[in-house]
Amino acid sequence: YHPDKQEADVPAGEVEERMQRFIEIDQAWKILGNEETKKEYDLQQREDNLTKEWPLHAQIYLEDMSWNEDEQLYTLSCRCGGNYSIFKNETKDVSLVCCDTCSLVIQILQ
């Protein structure tokens, strides 16, 4: 992404995208490369995570979950060994599903 290392035949729109990406990387480097600003950044990230209502594990489409015809139930294994479960009749009303053994949550995408 460095501007001095761009090829001459790169389209103009892509050059702007690469320049913007370079600026973002440079800003991140300035923040994370300085111990004091990195500490402030880390504290802000922790605060943001603590103010979230649920620790969102993933966003999942129903078709990516296992379907049990007999129980009319969608399930997905959690990384803790538990399961996320949602009945077919709940899929219209529910978008967040809690794991049955830990505090992680998935969001069901429609």
Side-chain angles (χ1 to χ4, degrees), residues 34-72:
N34 176 296
E35 194 61 38
E36 189 173 312
T37 55
K38 181 183 182 311
K39 187 181 285 187
E40 288 175 27
Y41 174 83
D42 289 343
L43 288 172
Q44 182 64 46
Q45 289 298 309
R46 269 191 225 115
E47 182 180 322
D48 290 348
N49 286 335
L50 289 174
T51 58
K52 290 181 183 175
E53 281 188 45
W54 301 100
L56 192 62
H57 176 222
Q59 295 178 312
I60 304 291
Y61 289 100
L62 277 176
E63 55 264 20
D64 295 330
M65 298 178 77
S66 298
W67 171 245
N68 182 314
E69 184 70 36
D70 295 335
E71 296 181 33
Q72 296 287 296

Side-chain angles (χ1 to χ4, degrees), residues 71-85:
E71 296 181 33
Q72 296 287 296
L73 182 71
Y74 291 95
T75 59
L76 181 73
S77 295
C78 180
R79 67 181 184 203
C80 76
N83 286 301
Y84 301 102
S85 302

Side-chain angles (χ1 to χ4, degrees), residues 80-94:
C80 76
N83 286 301
Y84 301 102
S85 302
I86 183 168
F87 288 99
K88 184 178 182 179
N89 63 354
E90 298 175 322
T91 58
K92 298 277 190 237
D93 303 322
V94 175

